[in-house]
Amino acid sequence: MKHIVAGLMAAALLGGCGGGGSSNPFDGAGEDTTTPPPEEGAITSTTPVSVPAGLAGDIDSVSFDPVSGTVSVVGLTLDEVPFTAVYRRRPGLDRDGYLAFTAQDDPLDRHFTLYAGQSNNSGAVRAAVASSPGPRNRSFMGGFFERDGGYTPPTVSPTSGLVSYAGKYVGVTNTTDAVGADLLPQPPGTPTPLIVPQASSVTGDVFINADFADNSVEGNIFNRVVIRDAANPSNPLAPATELPNLVLITAGIAANGTFNGTVEYDPRDPRSNTDTQVQTGSYGGVFGGPNAEGVAGVVNLTGFDGDGDPLGFENELESGIFVLDQCGAAVSDAICALVNPGAGTP
């Protein structure tokens, strides 16, 4: 079973040099060449992986076992009676390789939808995301990511160090599934204010480039669709809606393989309803496995239907995850055929 606790310190690598003891400032005599310890709060290669509070949201920790298909969550408010809630497996709600789980204690209690995934090769990185969209004026959402072992980036040389990753995206929102097929049956005569909603989900594709020579990462989330009927995505009575593409803005990779950046609408996509750079959220994640063969991350969006809500959503929120394999690895996404699968791979 795997475990992680949310909360990430800001990245900073600070160095320094000692003072000299020689009267000649050029001979170096008496110079202190000892490497100073990292300042408090600085991320080093041994800093534990944790999740920024803005991405973790309402989640404190998650345990996910993809082999047994089980997951338990700590921290999501009002999801189950125990503080650590064990969610039910729901194969019919799976999305593009991400396993689905739900929780609802009784017909008038909140309903929670959770998705989790693990990288395909070494299985060293994982991520999960969950949401309850209501019904009482507040949504509880959040995500997590984690890694087994330490950070081992690819070898950097004049011909390697730039690496691509590709795979699928899944998200959950504070908007309501039109059918709610996973909800417990509402008792006859339930007052309208007490009717419980089920979260709608979002799917898409993710492509990430990482430069391990200068420790930077950027990417795209595209082919995004919000699904209105989780049990039947092709339901003509609850048709899926295409959403704007997103850009993961360039961010630095810290010494422990974590990163944290901002998300903008892609102005090249007309659905974004903007021709400028408009921020709509944040993202973060971690590289893991031999030669950083996998990457997992969380995305938090404060809007998802374009600048000015052109699709009619208002006050919409989305939390999503990506768990991607490196192009050129034993298992990788089909889009990797469009890049040089050997680039950056020792």
Side-chain angles (χ1 to χ4, degrees), residues 110-138:
R110 284 175 173 267
H111 181 278
F112 289 79
T113 301
L114 181 146
Y115 287 98
Q118 177 176 282
S119 58
N120 286 305
N121 293 289
S122 65
V125 292
R126 262 159 252 99
V129 66
S131 172
S132 172
R136 298 172 185 91
N137 287 7
R138 295 295 184 274

mmCIF file with all atom_site columns, all heavy atoms in Angstrom, residues 110-138:
data_model
loop_
_atom_site.group_PDB
_atom_site.id
_atom_site.type_symbol
_atom_site.label_atom_id
_atom_site.label_alt_id
_atom_site.label_comp_id
_atom_site.label_asym_id
_atom_site.label_entity_id
_atom_site.label_seq_id
_atom_site.pdbx_PDB_ins_code
_atom_site.Cartn_x
_atom_site.Cartn_y
_atom_site.Cartn_z
_atom_site.occupancy
_atom_site.B_iso_or_equiv
_atom_site.pdbx_formal_charge
_atom_site.auth_seq_id
_atom_site.auth_comp_id
_atom_site.auth_asym_id
_atom_site.auth_atom_id
_atom_site.pdbx_PDB_model_num
ATOM 1   N N   . ARG A 1 110 ? -23.265 13.053 1.045   1.00 0.00 ? 110 ARG A N   1
ATOM 2   C CA  . ARG A 1 110 ? -22.496 13.415 -0.135  1.00 0.00 ? 110 ARG A CA  1
ATOM 3   C C   . ARG A 1 110 ? -22.012 12.179 -0.886  1.00 0.00 ? 110 ARG A C   1
ATOM 4   O O   . ARG A 1 110 ? -21.712 11.148 -0.288  1.00 0.00 ? 110 ARG A O   1
ATOM 5   C CB  . ARG A 1 110 ? -21.293 14.270 0.249   1.00 0.00 ? 110 ARG A CB  1
ATOM 6   C CG  . ARG A 1 110 ? -21.603 15.708 0.584   1.00 0.00 ? 110 ARG A CG  1
ATOM 7   C CD  . ARG A 1 110 ? -20.361 16.419 1.066   1.00 0.00 ? 110 ARG A CD  1
ATOM 8   N NE  . ARG A 1 110 ? -20.592 17.853 1.235   1.00 0.00 ? 110 ARG A NE  1
ATOM 9   C CZ  . ARG A 1 110 ? -20.357 18.763 0.299   1.00 0.00 ? 110 ARG A CZ  1
ATOM 10  N NH1 . ARG A 1 110 ? -19.853 18.388 -0.876  1.00 0.00 ? 110 ARG A NH1 1
ATOM 11  N NH2 . ARG A 1 110 ? -20.591 20.039 0.514   1.00 0.00 ? 110 ARG A NH2 1
ATOM 12  N N   . HIS A 1 111 ? -21.870 12.356 -2.197  1.00 0.00 ? 111 HIS A N   1
ATOM 13  C CA  . HIS A 1 111 ? -21.280 11.340 -3.066  1.00 0.00 ? 111 HIS A CA  1
ATOM 14  C C   . HIS A 1 111 ? -19.912 11.834 -3.519  1.00 0.00 ? 111 HIS A C   1
ATOM 15  O O   . HIS A 1 111 ? -19.749 12.989 -3.928  1.00 0.00 ? 111 HIS A O   1
ATOM 16  C CB  . HIS A 1 111 ? -22.172 11.096 -4.288  1.00 0.00 ? 111 HIS A CB  1
ATOM 17  C CG  . HIS A 1 111 ? -21.652 10.057 -5.222  1.00 0.00 ? 111 HIS A CG  1
ATOM 18  N ND1 . HIS A 1 111 ? -20.681 10.320 -6.182  1.00 0.00 ? 111 HIS A ND1 1
ATOM 19  C CD2 . HIS A 1 111 ? -21.957 8.736  -5.361  1.00 0.00 ? 111 HIS A CD2 1
ATOM 20  C CE1 . HIS A 1 111 ? -20.426 9.219  -6.859  1.00 0.00 ? 111 HIS A CE1 1
ATOM 21  N NE2 . HIS A 1 111 ? -21.171 8.241  -6.386  1.00 0.00 ? 111 HIS A NE2 1
ATOM 22  N N   . PHE A 1 112 ? -18.894 10.952 -3.430  1.00 0.00 ? 112 PHE A N   1
ATOM 23  C CA  . PHE A 1 112 ? -17.525 11.284 -3.818  1.00 0.00 ? 112 PHE A CA  1
ATOM 24  C C   . PHE A 1 112 ? -17.090 10.380 -4.967  1.00 0.00 ? 112 PHE A C   1
ATOM 25  O O   . PHE A 1 112 ? -17.334 9.176  -4.943  1.00 0.00 ? 112 PHE A O   1
ATOM 26  C CB  . PHE A 1 112 ? -16.565 11.098 -2.644  1.00 0.00 ? 112 PHE A CB  1
ATOM 27  C CG  . PHE A 1 112 ? -16.722 12.120 -1.561  1.00 0.00 ? 112 PHE A CG  1
ATOM 28  C CD1 . PHE A 1 112 ? -17.757 12.012 -0.633  1.00 0.00 ? 112 PHE A CD1 1
ATOM 29  C CD2 . PHE A 1 112 ? -15.856 13.196 -1.465  1.00 0.00 ? 112 PHE A CD2 1
ATOM 30  C CE1 . PHE A 1 112 ? -17.908 12.960 0.363   1.00 0.00 ? 112 PHE A CE1 1
ATOM 31  C CE2 . PHE A 1 112 ? -15.996 14.144 -0.472  1.00 0.00 ? 112 PHE A CE2 1
ATOM 32  C CZ  . PHE A 1 112 ? -17.033 14.031 0.452   1.00 0.00 ? 112 PHE A CZ  1
ATOM 33  N N   . THR A 1 113 ? -16.451 10.985 -5.958  1.00 0.00 ? 113 THR A N   1
ATOM 34  C CA  . THR A 1 113 ? -15.865 10.243 -7.082  1.00 0.00 ? 113 THR A CA  1
ATOM 35  C C   . THR A 1 113 ? -14.355 10.419 -7.039  1.00 0.00 ? 113 THR A C   1
ATOM 36  O O   . THR A 1 113 ? -13.865 11.548 -6.907  1.00 0.00 ? 113 THR A O   1
ATOM 37  C CB  . THR A 1 113 ? -16.402 10.758 -8.428  1.00 0.00 ? 113 THR A CB  1
ATOM 38  O OG1 . THR A 1 113 ? -17.826 10.614 -8.455  1.00 0.00 ? 113 THR A OG1 1
ATOM 39  C CG2 . THR A 1 113 ? -15.793 9.977  -9.585  1.00 0.00 ? 113 THR A CG2 1
ATOM 40  N N   . LEU A 1 114 ? -13.619 9.321  -7.174  1.00 0.00 ? 114 LEU A N   1
ATOM 41  C CA  . LEU A 1 114 ? -12.153 9.352  -7.122  1.00 0.00 ? 114 LEU A CA  1
ATOM 42  C C   . LEU A 1 114 ? -11.577 8.549  -8.277  1.00 0.00 ? 114 LEU A C   1
ATOM 43  O O   . LEU A 1 114 ? -12.087 7.483  -8.627  1.00 0.00 ? 114 LEU A O   1
ATOM 44  C CB  . LEU A 1 114 ? -11.659 8.787  -5.793  1.00 0.00 ? 114 LEU A CB  1
ATOM 45  C CG  . LEU A 1 114 ? -10.150 8.756  -5.557  1.00 0.00 ? 114 LEU A CG  1
ATOM 46  C CD1 . LEU A 1 114 ? -9.839  8.983  -4.072  1.00 0.00 ? 114 LEU A CD1 1
ATOM 47  C CD2 . LEU A 1 114 ? -9.514  7.444  -6.017  1.00 0.00 ? 114 LEU A CD2 1
ATOM 48  N N   . TYR A 1 115 ? -10.500 9.075  -8.875  1.00 0.00 ? 115 TYR A N   1
ATOM 49  C CA  . TYR A 1 115 ? -9.739  8.368  -9.904  1.00 0.00 ? 115 TYR A CA  1
ATOM 50  C C   . TYR A 1 115 ? -8.288  8.254  -9.456  1.00 0.00 ? 115 TYR A C   1
ATOM 51  O O   . TYR A 1 115 ? -7.736  9.179  -8.843  1.00 0.00 ? 115 TYR A O   1
ATOM 52  C CB  . TYR A 1 115 ? -9.816  9.100  -11.246 1.00 0.00 ? 115 TYR A CB  1
ATOM 53  C CG  . TYR A 1 115 ? -11.152 8.980  -11.917 1.00 0.00 ? 115 TYR A CG  1
ATOM 54  C CD1 . TYR A 1 115 ? -12.112 9.989  -11.806 1.00 0.00 ? 115 TYR A CD1 1
ATOM 55  C CD2 . TYR A 1 115 ? -11.473 7.840  -12.652 1.00 0.00 ? 115 TYR A CD2 1
ATOM 56  C CE1 . TYR A 1 115 ? -13.344 9.866  -12.410 1.00 0.00 ? 115 TYR A CE1 1
ATOM 57  C CE2 . TYR A 1 115 ? -12.716 7.708  -13.264 1.00 0.00 ? 115 TYR A CE2 1
ATOM 58  C CZ  . TYR A 1 115 ? -13.646 8.720  -13.133 1.00 0.00 ? 115 TYR A CZ  1
ATOM 59  O OH  . TYR A 1 115 ? -14.879 8.594  -13.736 1.00 0.00 ? 115 TYR A OH  1
ATOM 60  N N   . ALA A 1 116 ? -7.672  7.106  -9.770  1.00 0.00 ? 116 ALA A N   1
ATOM 61  C CA  . ALA A 1 116 ? -6.275  6.884  -9.404  1.00 0.00 ? 116 ALA A CA  1
ATOM 62  C C   . ALA A 1 116 ? -5.559  6.142  -10.520 1.00 0.00 ? 116 ALA A C   1
ATOM 63  O O   . ALA A 1 116 ? -6.180  5.361  -11.265 1.00 0.00 ? 116 ALA A O   1
ATOM 64  C CB  . ALA A 1 116 ? -6.186  6.091  -8.098  1.00 0.00 ? 116 ALA A CB  1
ATOM 65  N N   . GLY A 1 117 ? -4.247  6.382  -10.642 1.00 0.00 ? 117 GLY A N   1
ATOM 66  C CA  . GLY A 1 117 ? -3.452  5.717  -11.674 1.00 0.00 ? 117 GLY A CA  1
ATOM 67  C C   . GLY A 1 117 ? -2.012  5.568  -11.251 1.00 0.00 ? 117 GLY A C   1
ATOM 68  O O   . GLY A 1 117 ? -1.536  6.283  -10.349 1.00 0.00 ? 117 GLY A O   1
ATOM 69  N N   . GLN A 1 118 ? -1.309  4.639  -11.904 1.00 0.00 ? 118 GLN A N   1
ATOM 70  C CA  . GLN A 1 118 ? 0.098   4.367  -11.629 1.00 0.00 ? 118 GLN A CA  1
ATOM 71  C C   . GLN A 1 118 ? 0.839   4.218  -12.949 1.00 0.00 ? 118 GLN A C   1
ATOM 72  O O   . GLN A 1 118 ? 0.279   3.721  -13.936 1.00 0.00 ? 118 GLN A O   1
ATOM 73  C CB  . GLN A 1 118 ? 0.230   3.089  -10.804 1.00 0.00 ? 118 GLN A CB  1
ATOM 74  C CG  . GLN A 1 118 ? 1.664   2.662  -10.527 1.00 0.00 ? 118 GLN A CG  1
ATOM 75  C CD  . GLN A 1 118 ? 1.734   1.445  -9.626  1.00 0.00 ? 118 GLN A CD  1
ATOM 76  O OE1 . GLN A 1 118 ? 1.570   1.563  -8.414  1.00 0.00 ? 118 GLN A OE1 1
ATOM 77  N NE2 . GLN A 1 118 ? 1.968   0.272  -10.198 1.00 0.00 ? 118 GLN A NE2 1
ATOM 78  N N   . SER A 1 119 ? 2.106   4.628  -12.976 1.00 0.00 ? 119 SER A N   1
ATOM 79  C CA  . SER A 1 119 ? 2.907   4.508  -14.198 1.00 0.00 ? 119 SER A CA  1
ATOM 80  C C   . SER A 1 119 ? 3.072   3.044  -14.591 1.00 0.00 ? 119 SER A C   1
ATOM 81  O O   . SER A 1 119 ? 3.025   2.146  -13.752 1.00 0.00 ? 119 SER A O   1
ATOM 82  C CB  . SER A 1 119 ? 4.268   5.184  -14.013 1.00 0.00 ? 119 SER A CB  1
ATOM 83  O OG  . SER A 1 119 ? 4.963   4.619  -12.914 1.00 0.00 ? 119 SER A OG  1
ATOM 84  N N   . ASN A 1 120 ? 3.310   2.795  -15.884 1.00 0.00 ? 120 ASN A N   1
ATOM 85  C CA  . ASN A 1 120 ? 3.243   1.444  -16.426 1.00 0.00 ? 120 ASN A CA  1
ATOM 86  C C   . ASN A 1 120 ? 4.535   0.647  -16.341 1.00 0.00 ? 120 ASN A C   1
ATOM 87  O O   . ASN A 1 120 ? 4.492   -0.575 -16.329 1.00 0.00 ? 120 ASN A O   1
ATOM 88  C CB  . ASN A 1 120 ? 2.819   1.496  -17.899 1.00 0.00 ? 120 ASN A CB  1
ATOM 89  C CG  . ASN A 1 120 ? 1.358   1.819  -18.073 1.00 0.00 ? 120 ASN A CG  1
ATOM 90  O OD1 . ASN A 1 120 ? 0.500   1.141  -17.530 1.00 0.00 ? 120 ASN A OD1 1
ATOM 91  N ND2 . ASN A 1 120 ? 1.071   2.886  -18.804 1.00 0.00 ? 120 ASN A ND2 1
ATOM 92  N N   . ASN A 1 121 ? 5.675   1.282  -16.287 1.00 0.00 ? 121 ASN A N   1
ATOM 93  C CA  . ASN A 1 121 ? 6.943   0.555  -16.391 1.00 0.00 ? 121 ASN A CA  1
ATOM 94  C C   . ASN A 1 121 ? 7.428   0.104  -15.007 1.00 0.00 ? 121 ASN A C   1
ATOM 95  O O   . ASN A 1 121 ? 7.115   -0.998 -14.578 1.00 0.00 ? 121 ASN A O   1
ATOM 96  C CB  . ASN A 1 121 ? 7.956   1.399  -17.145 1.00 0.00 ? 121 ASN A CB  1
ATOM 97  C CG  . ASN A 1 121 ? 7.545   1.590  -18.603 1.00 0.00 ? 121 ASN A CG  1
ATOM 98  O OD1 . ASN A 1 121 ? 7.600   0.662  -19.396 1.00 0.00 ? 121 ASN A OD1 1
ATOM 99  N ND2 . ASN A 1 121 ? 7.087   2.795  -18.968 1.00 0.00 ? 121 ASN A ND2 1
ATOM 100 N N   . SER A 1 122 ? 8.135   0.933  -14.297 1.00 0.00 ? 122 SER A N   1
ATOM 101 C CA  . SER A 1 122 ? 8.558   0.548  -12.948 1.00 0.00 ? 122 SER A CA  1
ATOM 102 C C   . SER A 1 122 ? 7.438   0.714  -11.923 1.00 0.00 ? 122 SER A C   1
ATOM 103 O O   . SER A 1 122 ? 7.535   0.215  -10.802 1.00 0.00 ? 122 SER A O   1
ATOM 104 C CB  . SER A 1 122 ? 9.761   1.386  -12.516 1.00 0.00 ? 122 SER A CB  1
ATOM 105 O OG  . SER A 1 122 ? 9.395   2.748  -12.402 1.00 0.00 ? 122 SER A OG  1
ATOM 106 N N   . GLY A 1 123 ? 6.371   1.436  -12.299 1.00 0.00 ? 123 GLY A N   1
ATOM 107 C CA  . GLY A 1 123 ? 5.295   1.691  -11.343 1.00 0.00 ? 123 GLY A CA  1
ATOM 108 C C   . GLY A 1 123 ? 5.723   2.575  -10.191 1.00 0.00 ? 123 GLY A C   1
ATOM 109 O O   . GLY A 1 123 ? 5.167   2.497  -9.095  1.00 0.00 ? 123 GLY A O   1
ATOM 110 N N   . ALA A 1 124 ? 6.680   3.458  -10.444 1.00 0.00 ? 124 ALA A N   1
ATOM 111 C CA  . ALA A 1 124 ? 7.276   4.234  -9.359  1.00 0.00 ? 124 ALA A CA  1
ATOM 112 C C   . ALA A 1 124 ? 6.491   5.478  -8.976  1.00 0.00 ? 124 ALA A C   1
ATOM 113 O O   . ALA A 1 124 ? 6.720   6.040  -7.904  1.00 0.00 ? 124 ALA A O   1
ATOM 114 C CB  . ALA A 1 124 ? 8.705   4.635  -9.737  1.00 0.00 ? 124 ALA A CB  1
ATOM 115 N N   . VAL A 1 125 ? 5.567   5.954  -9.855  1.00 0.00 ? 125 VAL A N   1
ATOM 116 C CA  . VAL A 1 125 ? 4.808   7.163  -9.535  1.00 0.00 ? 125 VAL A CA  1
ATOM 117 C C   . VAL A 1 125 ? 3.319   6.887  -9.630  1.00 0.00 ? 125 VAL A C   1
ATOM 118 O O   . VAL A 1 125 ? 2.867   6.062  -10.430 1.00 0.00 ? 125 VAL A O   1
ATOM 119 C CB  . VAL A 1 125 ? 5.193   8.348  -10.453 1.00 0.00 ? 125 VAL A CB  1
ATOM 120 C CG1 . VAL A 1 125 ? 6.605   8.814  -10.161 1.00 0.00 ? 125 VAL A CG1 1
ATOM 121 C CG2 . VAL A 1 125 ? 5.037   7.985  -11.927 1.00 0.00 ? 125 VAL A CG2 1
ATOM 122 N N   . ARG A 1 126 ? 2.556   7.594  -8.805  1.00 0.00 ? 126 ARG A N   1
ATOM 123 C CA  . ARG A 1 126 ? 1.120   7.422  -8.711  1.00 0.00 ? 126 ARG A CA  1
ATOM 124 C C   . ARG A 1 126 ? 0.441   8.764  -8.499  1.00 0.00 ? 126 ARG A C   1
ATOM 125 O O   . ARG A 1 126 ? 1.083   9.701  -8.002  1.00 0.00 ? 126 ARG A O   1
ATOM 126 C CB  . ARG A 1 126 ? 0.799   6.546  -7.497  1.00 0.00 ? 126 ARG A CB  1
ATOM 127 C CG  . ARG A 1 126 ? 0.546   5.101  -7.752  1.00 0.00 ? 126 ARG A CG  1
ATOM 128 C CD  . ARG A 1 126 ? 0.767   4.294  -6.448  1.00 0.00 ? 126 ARG A CD  1
ATOM 129 N NE  . ARG A 1 126 ? 1.991   3.537  -6.606  1.00 0.00 ? 126 ARG A NE  1
ATOM 130 C CZ  . ARG A 1 126 ? 3.164   3.876  -6.136  1.00 0.00 ? 126 ARG A CZ  1
ATOM 131 N NH1 . ARG A 1 126 ? 3.313   4.949  -5.411  1.00 0.00 ? 126 ARG A NH1 1
ATOM 132 N NH2 . ARG A 1 126 ? 4.210   3.154  -6.396  1.00 0.00 ? 126 ARG A NH2 1
ATOM 133 N N   . ALA A 1 127 ? -0.849  8.835  -8.818  1.00 0.00 ? 127 ALA A N   1
ATOM 134 C CA  . ALA A 1 127 ? -1.624  10.045 -8.528  1.00 0.00 ? 127 ALA A CA  1
ATOM 135 C C   . ALA A 1 127 ? -3.085  9.668  -8.368  1.00 0.00 ? 127 ALA A C   1
ATOM 136 O O   . ALA A 1 127 ? -3.543  8.633  -8.884  1.00 0.00 ? 127 ALA A O   1
ATOM 137 C CB  . ALA A 1 127 ? -1.472  11.081 -9.648  1.00 0.00 ? 127 ALA A CB  1
ATOM 138 N N   . ALA A 1 128 ? -3.824  10.509 -7.649  1.00 0.00 ? 128 ALA A N   1
ATOM 139 C CA  . ALA A 1 128 ? -5.263  10.312 -7.466  1.00 0.00 ? 128 ALA A CA  1
ATOM 140 C C   . ALA A 1 128 ? -5.928  11.661 -7.301  1.00 0.00 ? 128 ALA A C   1
ATOM 141 O O   . ALA A 1 128 ? -5.296  12.644 -6.888  1.00 0.00 ? 128 ALA A O   1
ATOM 142 C CB  . ALA A 1 128 ? -5.549  9.420  -6.258  1.00 0.00 ? 128 ALA A CB  1
ATOM 143 N N   . VAL A 1 129 ? -7.226  11.705 -7.611  1.00 0.00 ? 129 VAL A N   1
ATOM 144 C CA  . VAL A 1 129 ? -7.994  12.942 -7.510  1.00 0.00 ? 129 VAL A CA  1
ATOM 145 C C   . VAL A 1 129 ? -9.423  12.588 -7.131  1.00 0.00 ? 129 VAL A C   1
ATOM 146 O O   . VAL A 1 129 ? -9.932  11.532 -7.508  1.00 0.00 ? 129 VAL A O   1
ATOM 147 C CB  . VAL A 1 129 ? -7.957  13.724 -8.841  1.00 0.00 ? 129 VAL A CB  1
ATOM 148 C CG1 . VAL A 1 129 ? -8.679  12.980 -9.960  1.00 0.00 ? 129 VAL A CG1 1
ATOM 149 C CG2 . VAL A 1 129 ? -8.503  15.129 -8.679  1.00 0.00 ? 129 VAL A CG2 1
ATOM 150 N N   . ALA A 1 130 ? -10.080 13.465 -6.344  1.00 0.00 ? 130 ALA A N   1
ATOM 151 C CA  . ALA A 1 130 ? -11.446 13.179 -5.886  1.00 0.00 ? 130 ALA A CA  1
ATOM 152 C C   . ALA A 1 130 ? -12.252 14.459 -5.808  1.00 0.00 ? 130 ALA A C   1
ATOM 153 O O   . ALA A 1 130 ? -11.705 15.560 -5.656  1.00 0.00 ? 130 ALA A O   1
ATOM 154 C CB  . ALA A 1 130 ? -11.413 12.497 -4.520  1.00 0.00 ? 130 ALA A CB  1
ATOM 155 N N   . SER A 1 131 ? -13.585 14.295 -5.891  1.00 0.00 ? 131 SER A N   1
ATOM 156 C CA  . SER A 1 131 ? -14.480 15.453 -5.801  1.00 0.00 ? 131 SER A CA  1
ATOM 157 C C   . SER A 1 131 ? -15.855 15.038 -5.297  1.00 0.00 ? 131 SER A C   1
ATOM 158 O O   . SER A 1 131 ? -16.366 13.965 -5.615  1.00 0.00 ? 131 SER A O   1
ATOM 159 C CB  . SER A 1 131 ? -14.648 16.124 -7.166  1.00 0.00 ? 131 SER A CB  1
ATOM 160 O OG  . SER A 1 131 ? -15.645 17.140 -7.126  1.00 0.00 ? 131 SER A OG  1
ATOM 161 N N   . SER A 1 132 ? -16.446 15.916 -4.495  1.00 0.00 ? 132 SER A N   1
ATOM 162 C CA  . SER A 1 132 ? -17.870 15.891 -4.158  1.00 0.00 ? 132 SER A CA  1
ATOM 163 C C   . SER A 1 132 ? -18.424 17.266 -4.494  1.00 0.00 ? 132 SER A C   1
ATOM 164 O O   . SER A 1 132 ? -18.001 18.273 -3.912  1.00 0.00 ? 132 SER A O   1
ATOM 165 C CB  . SER A 1 132 ? -18.081 15.586 -2.674  1.00 0.00 ? 132 SER A CB  1
ATOM 166 O OG  . SER A 1 132 ? -19.451 15.756 -2.330  1.00 0.00 ? 132 SER A OG  1
ATOM 167 N N   . PRO A 1 133 ? -19.385 17.360 -5.441  1.00 0.00 ? 133 PRO A N   1
ATOM 168 C CA  . PRO A 1 133 ? -19.813 18.672 -5.926  1.00 0.00 ? 133 PRO A CA  1
ATOM 169 C C   . PRO A 1 133 ? -20.861 19.373 -5.075  1.00 0.00 ? 133 PRO A C   1
ATOM 170 O O   . PRO A 1 133 ? -21.268 20.475 -5.407  1.00 0.00 ? 133 PRO A O   1
ATOM 171 C CB  . PRO A 1 133 ? -20.384 18.345 -7.308  1.00 0.00 ? 133 PRO A CB  1
ATOM 172 C CG  . PRO A 1 133 ? -20.885 16.952 -7.173  1.00 0.00 ? 133 PRO A CG  1
ATOM 173 C CD  . PRO A 1 133 ? -19.946 16.260 -6.230  1.00 0.00 ? 133 PRO A CD  1
ATOM 174 N N   . GLY A 1 134 ? -21.349 18.802 -4.038  1.00 0.00 ? 134 GLY A N   1
ATOM 175 C CA  . GLY A 1 134 ? -22.376 19.474 -3.236  1.00 0.00 ? 134 GLY A CA  1
ATOM 176 C C   . GLY A 1 134 ? -23.038 18.477 -2.300  1.00 0.00 ? 134 GLY A C   1
ATOM 177 O O   . GLY A 1 134 ? -22.445 17.454 -1.998  1.00 0.00 ? 134 GLY A O   1
ATOM 178 N N   . PRO A 1 135 ? -24.257 18.741 -1.862  1.00 0.00 ? 135 PRO A N   1
ATOM 179 C CA  . PRO A 1 135 ? -25.216 19.707 -2.384  1.00 0.00 ? 135 PRO A CA  1
ATOM 180 C C   . PRO A 1 135 ? -25.316 21.013 -1.610  1.00 0.00 ? 135 PRO A C   1
ATOM 181 O O   . PRO A 1 135 ? -26.221 21.812 -1.887  1.00 0.00 ? 135 PRO A O   1
ATOM 182 C CB  . PRO A 1 135 ? -26.527 18.928 -2.242  1.00 0.00 ? 135 PRO A CB  1
ATOM 183 C CG  . PRO A 1 135 ? -26.333 18.135 -0.966  1.00 0.00 ? 135 PRO A CG  1
ATOM 184 C CD  . PRO A 1 135 ? -24.878 17.797 -0.926  1.00 0.00 ? 135 PRO A CD  1
ATOM 185 N N   . ARG A 1 136 ? -24.491 21.245 -0.621  1.00 0.00 ? 136 ARG A N   1
ATOM 186 C CA  . ARG A 1 136 ? -24.743 22.351 0.301   1.00 0.00 ? 136 ARG A CA  1
ATOM 187 C C   . ARG A 1 136 ? -23.755 23.499 0.095   1.00 0.00 ? 136 ARG A C   1
ATOM 188 O O   . ARG A 1 136 ? -23.025 23.883 1.001   1.00 0.00 ? 136 ARG A O   1
ATOM 189 C CB  . ARG A 1 136 ? -24.740 21.823 1.727   1.00 0.00 ? 136 ARG A CB  1
ATOM 190 C CG  . ARG A 1 136 ? -25.864 20.806 1.931   1.00 0.00 ? 136 ARG A CG  1
ATOM 191 C CD  . ARG A 1 136 ? -25.827 20.079 3.247   1.00 0.00 ? 136 ARG A CD  1
ATOM 192 N NE  . ARG A 1 136 ? -26.878 19.070 3.254   1.00 0.00 ? 136 ARG A NE  1
ATOM 193 C CZ  . ARG A 1 136 ? -26.709 17.813 2.841   1.00 0.00 ? 136 ARG A CZ  1
ATOM 194 N NH1 . ARG A 1 136 ? -25.523 17.412 2.413   1.00 0.00 ? 136 ARG A NH1 1
ATOM 195 N NH2 . ARG A 1 136 ? -27.715 16.979 2.852   1.00 0.00 ? 136 ARG A NH2 1
ATOM 196 N N   . ASN A 1 137 ? -23.738 24.032 -1.130  1.00 0.00 ? 137 ASN A N   1
ATOM 197 C CA  . ASN A 1 137 ? -23.006 25.260 -1.475  1.00 0.00 ? 137 ASN A CA  1
ATOM 198 C C   . ASN A 1 137 ? -21.489 25.139 -1.425  1.00 0.00 ? 137 ASN A C   1
ATOM 199 O O   . ASN A 1 137 ? -20.804 26.127 -1.694  1.00 0.00 ? 137 ASN A O   1
ATOM 200 C CB  . ASN A 1 137 ? -23.422 26.428 -0.578  1.00 0.00 ? 137 ASN A CB  1
ATOM 201 C CG  . ASN A 1 137 ? -24.795 26.947 -0.906  1.00 0.00 ? 137 ASN A CG  1
ATOM 202 O OD1 . ASN A 1 137 ? -25.502 26.362 -1.716  1.00 0.00 ? 137 ASN A OD1 1
ATOM 203 N ND2 . ASN A 1 137 ? -25.181 28.040 -0.267  1.00 0.00 ? 137 ASN A ND2 1
ATOM 204 N N   . ARG A 1 138 ? -20.938 23.990 -1.096  1.00 0.00 ? 138 ARG A N   1
ATOM 205 C CA  . ARG A 1 138 ? -19.501 23.811 -1.039  1.00 0.00 ? 138 ARG A CA  1
ATOM 206 C C   . ARG A 1 138 ? -19.117 22.497 -1.706  1.00 0.00 ? 138 ARG A C   1
ATOM 207 O O   . ARG A 1 138 ? -19.784 21.472 -1.505  1.00 0.00 ? 138 ARG A O   1
ATOM 208 C CB  . ARG A 1 138 ? -18.979 23.821 0.403   1.00 0.00 ? 138 ARG A CB  1
ATOM 209 C CG  . ARG A 1 138 ? -19.140 25.151 1.133   1.00 0.00 ? 138 ARG A CG  1
ATOM 210 C CD  . ARG A 1 138 ? -18.294 26.244 0.507   1.00 0.00 ? 138 ARG A CD  1
ATOM 211 N NE  . ARG A 1 138 ? -18.367 27.492 1.263   1.00 0.00 ? 138 ARG A NE  1
ATOM 212 C CZ  . ARG A 1 138 ? -19.302 28.423 1.097   1.00 0.00 ? 138 ARG A CZ  1
ATOM 213 N NH1 . ARG A 1 138 ? -20.271 28.233 0.193   1.00 0.00 ? 138 ARG A NH1 1
ATOM 214 N NH2 . ARG A 1 138 ? -19.277 29.523 1.825   1.00 0.00 ? 138 ARG A NH2 1
#
